[in-house]
Amino acid sequence: MHEALLEGGAIRHTSRKYSKGSYLFREGDPIRGIYLVKSGKVQIGKVTPEGRELTLKICGENQMVGEITVFSGPSKYRLDAKAVEDTECLKITIEDLEEALQREQQLAMAFMRWTGIDQQKTQTKFRDLLLHGKKGALYSTLIRLSNSYGESHPEGVLIDIVLTNQELANFCGMTREVVNRMLSDLKKDGVVSMKDGKIIIHQIPRLKDEINCEECPIYLCKID
């Protein structure tokens, strides 16, 4: 999608930098555009009225960020987008996007494919949350993290991103105490371990068996 957006100057865009902890947009802000991450990482999530935080995904380099409502009139964001490290993005306004989609057939096709895949990713995440309970939420999150940020390691797969147990809990819709207990059990069983604040998964097949993994394509089973 990002290649189609920028190839041959297909669409106008501006470059913006965001420091760690700053927001690209907040829930309730008018939707004015979409963002392409050039460098850094952006967390997409929501805070409930009770103050509980739910993280839906972390988008990295060349990932698109934004809730897209093209050709549908004014709308507002339903989620927050926060830079979790210093980040640079290309911003494309809704007006420029709509104009380019009408003009460029290949771009329109790429955009439709991207929105379809994004919807499927969301559906599979909620499937795991609803069908397999707390275990499914944590185990599927670990598998998705390994597909997005995993690196080969002599003892398994190293998730090359530092996450606190609270941040991991936010992905699962659980409390930190529950995640602490479940991770402790996985460590005792030799399924996972920690190194320099990063998780190493030693037995991914074990996690997949526990949640009756349907072996979805990797592009769907990711955290971004």
Side-chain angles (χ1 to χ4, degrees):
M1 174 63 183
H2 64 279
E3 294 175 349
L5 280 172
L6 304 179
E7 188 177 52
I11 187 169
R12 291 188 294 270
H13 56 271
T14 57
S15 179
R16 296 192 61 181
K17 293 183 179 181
Y18 300 85
S19 58
K20 179 180 178 179
S22 62
Y23 287 84
L24 282 66
F25 53 80
R26 301 296 302 268
E27 180 180 0
D29 290 346
I31 295 178
R32 295 205 171 97
I34 60 173
Y35 302 79
L36 171 63
V37 181
K38 286 189 65 180
S39 63
K41 291 183 177 63
V42 177
Q43 174 183 293
I44 307 298
K46 184 179 182 69
V47 179
T48 69
E50 296 79 24
R52 290 189 61 186
E53 186 175 349
L54 176 64
T55 301
L56 297 180
K57 56 184 177 181
I58 294 179
C59 298
E61 185 178 349
N62 292 328
Q63 293 291 318
M64 298 294 298
V65 174
E67 300 170 50
I68 312 303
T69 54
V70 293
F71 309 114
S72 60
S75 187
K76 295 182 178 180
Y77 289 109
R78 293 167 294 173
L79 302 168
D80 296 328
K82 181 173 69 173
V84 292
E85 58 186 48
D86 290 344
T87 299
E88 182 177 2
C89 295
L90 301 181
K91 182 176 181 180
I92 302 167
T93 68
I94 291 295
E95 293 78 15
D96 286 339
L97 178 60
E98 290 177 342
E99 178 185 330
L101 289 175
Q102 293 181 83
R103 185 180 66 247
E104 303 284 346
Q105 182 180 8
Q106 288 188 333
L107 175 61
M109 292 174 64
F111 182 79
M112 291 172 63
R113 182 175 185 274
W114 174 72
T115 54
I117 289 174
D118 194 57
Q119 184 180 43
Q120 289 180 73
K121 284 182 181 179
T122 301
Q123 289 174 344
T124 57
K125 288 174 186 175
F126 282 110
R127 174 201 64 195
D128 294 336
L129 288 170
L130 294 174
L131 293 183
H132 302 295
K134 294 177 180 178
K135 181 183 291 186
L138 177 60
Y139 291 9
S140 65
T141 295
L142 291 173
I143 293 169
R144 291 175 192 278
L145 284 167
S146 73
N147 288 334
S148 291
Y149 299 107
E151 293 188 354
S152 179
H153 186 276
E155 299 178 24
V157 177
L158 170 70
I159 299 176
D160 192 25
I161 182 174
V162 176
L163 292 171
T164 66
N165 285 3
Q166 181 61 64
E167 289 170 332
L168 194 56
N170 292 344
F171 276 110
C172 307
M174 297 188 293
T175 64
R176 179 175 55 83
E177 290 75 17
V178 171
V179 168
N180 286 348
R181 184 170 63 252
M182 294 177 69
L183 281 178
S184 178
D185 290 340
L186 288 174
K187 291 174 184 176
K188 290 178 182 177
D189 292 340
V191 179
V192 305
S193 63
M194 301 293 296
K195 180 180 180 181
D196 300 325
K198 298 178 181 179
I199 299 173
I200 300 175
I201 304 178
H202 304 289
Q203 301 179 39
I204 286 184
R206 167 82 175 273
L207 297 179
K208 290 183 175 182
D209 288 343
E210 290 286 345
I211 61 172
N212 300 315
C213 176
E214 298 178 10
E215 297 295 341
C216 297
I218 293 296
Y219 69 82
L220 291 181
C221 189
K222 301 181 77 173
I223 209 70
D224 52 29

